[in-house]
Amino acid sequence: MEHPKATTSHYKFTLLPKFFVNYHELARHSPRLKITTQPSLGLIDQPYNEPTNTQPDAQHKKPWERFTAHINQVNRESPDNVTYKVLYLTRHGLGVHNVFEGNVGREAWNNYWSHLDGDGTVFWVDAKLTEVGIQQAEALGQFWIDAVTIDKVPLPESLYTSPLARCLETTRLVFSKLMGQFREKFQPLVKELLRERLTDHTCDKRSTRTWIEGHYPCYLIEPGFSEDDRLWKPDGWESAEEHVARNQKVLEEIFDHDFGTFISLSVHSYAISAILRACGCEEFRVCEGSTIALLVRGERV
């Protein structure tokens, strides 16, 4: 699989502010400069002008119900080449590589340890979740159940995930119980290009297709997904621009082929940054085991 070129872009993506809290401002004032999951997924309670939101009973509806009606109306009235989608971006829970880097320091990690498979006790090739990471994902799963039940946040109509193990497992822990409770099919789609920025760190090398199918049999795997990892190289780094172009391609595929409005993506810290940049937005960091919601306008050009 080749890296997509920035010149192949067929969509212009724009992140629409004023519907969700100012994540950049929150990040600047958070202890680790990272966003955590916000109450009601950060939706700002505000009035809308659609007929469905001005009827007498509208005042009794939850903010998410009124927002959903607004977005559906906007999509109905938009030109054929314009679509609005709400992206639920979930960063995986804490991984063993995150902990080891914190213990040895970034310099030692980048210069030595990250190139190894492990230290003899801990192994971080296609890094798995720690116990804390599992707990984070389980807690986020309960948050989602409460958000859908109490706040009327729409269920994800589609679930996409990075092929790296920490995202595959986070997706299962966060969304399988949620979808089952509402009798919806839990069938995430594994997308190769959703993975973290490619470096020479072994934690970013994915497992085989056979391993993924064996451990996550209910997951769908996109066409063309190879048995072995053809993207990761032990001596190569993906530039920031290449990473943005890769996520631009993912967004284009979703906007082209997925007719849902509320879309979940289980991804990585720098992948979230790349998605933000593909939408013309300044990036910010997201804490492990957290979900943020974004409203994105896609215009086919």
Side-chain angles (χ1 to χ4, degrees), residues 81-107:
N81 67 322
V82 174
T83 305
Y84 295 81
K85 293 185 184 296
V86 176
L87 303 183
Y88 303 133
L89 302 183
T90 298
R91 183 184 174 189
H92 62 77
L94 188 71
V96 295
H97 62 307
N98 301 128
V99 173
F100 197 88
E101 178 184 348
N103 290 339
V104 301
R106 177 161 295 183
E107 183 176 355

Side-chain angles (χ1 to χ4, degrees), residues 172 176 185-189 212-213 215-220:
R172 185 186 72 81
S176 61
K185 183 178 290 187
F186 175 71
Q187 200 169 53
L189 177 63
I212 295 173
E213 290 174 331
H215 285 78
Y216 300 94
C218 67
Y219 287 32
L220 299 175

Side-chain angles (χ1 to χ4, degrees), residues 13-33:
F13 295 110
T14 307
L15 184 66
L16 300 183
K18 301 181 181 178
F19 290 93
F20 293 94
V21 293
N22 187 328
Y23 294 118
H24 299 91
E25 192 66 23
L26 286 175
R28 279 193 288 270
H29 292 91
S30 62
R32 297 169 56 199
L33 302 178

Side-chain angles (χ1 to χ4, degrees), residues 3 14-15 33 45 68 81 91 96 101 109 118 124-125 150 155 166 171 179 200 212-213 216 227 241 258 262 265 290:
H3 288 298
T14 307
L15 184 66
L33 302 178
D45 186 4
T68 300
N81 67 322
R91 183 184 174 189
V96 295
E101 178 184 348
W109 170 256
W124 49 76
V125 176
I150 300 171
L155 281 172
R166 50 197 184 270
T171 301
M179 303 304 278
D200 56 6
I212 295 173
E213 290 174 331
Y216 300 94
E227 170 66 12
E241 291 72 22
D258 194 316
F262 299 90
L265 295 89
S290 299

Side-chain angles (χ1 to χ4, degrees), residues 126-232:
D126 193 6
K128 312 300 188 292
L129 296 180
T130 65
E131 285 301 318
V132 171
I134 291 171
Q135 294 168 9
Q136 290 172 333
E138 290 175 339
L140 184 59
Q142 185 58 54
F143 169 90
W144 263 99
I145 290 174
D146 294 340
V148 173
T149 304
I150 300 171
D151 294 329
K152 306 303 179 184
V153 175
L155 281 172
E157 296 168 86
S158 301
L159 299 168
Y160 296 95
T161 178
S162 157
L164 296 181
R166 50 197 184 270
C167 283
L168 298 171
E169 184 64 4
T170 296
T171 301
R172 185 186 72 81
L173 293 172
V174 174
F175 293 108
S176 61
K177 185 177 178 181
L178 170 73
M179 303 304 278
Q181 181 165 323
F182 291 92
R183 297 187 178 141
E184 296 291 335
K185 183 178 290 187
F186 175 71
Q187 200 169 53
L189 177 63
V190 181
K191 290 191 73 64
E192 183 79 282
L193 296 184
L194 265 184
R195 59 199 294 173
E196 182 61 296
R197 180 180 175 183
L198 292 160
T199 69
D200 56 6
H201 299 181
T202 60
C203 60
D204 295 328
K205 180 181 180 181
R206 73 162 168 83
S207 299
T208 63
R209 177 174 181 144
T210 298
W211 184 90
I212 295 173
E213 290 174 331
H215 285 78
Y216 300 94
C218 67
Y219 287 32
L220 299 175
I221 297 181
E222 66 179 346
F225 194 90
S226 60
E227 170 66 12
D228 295 310
D229 189 349
R230 296 178 182 174
L231 294 185
W232 184 84

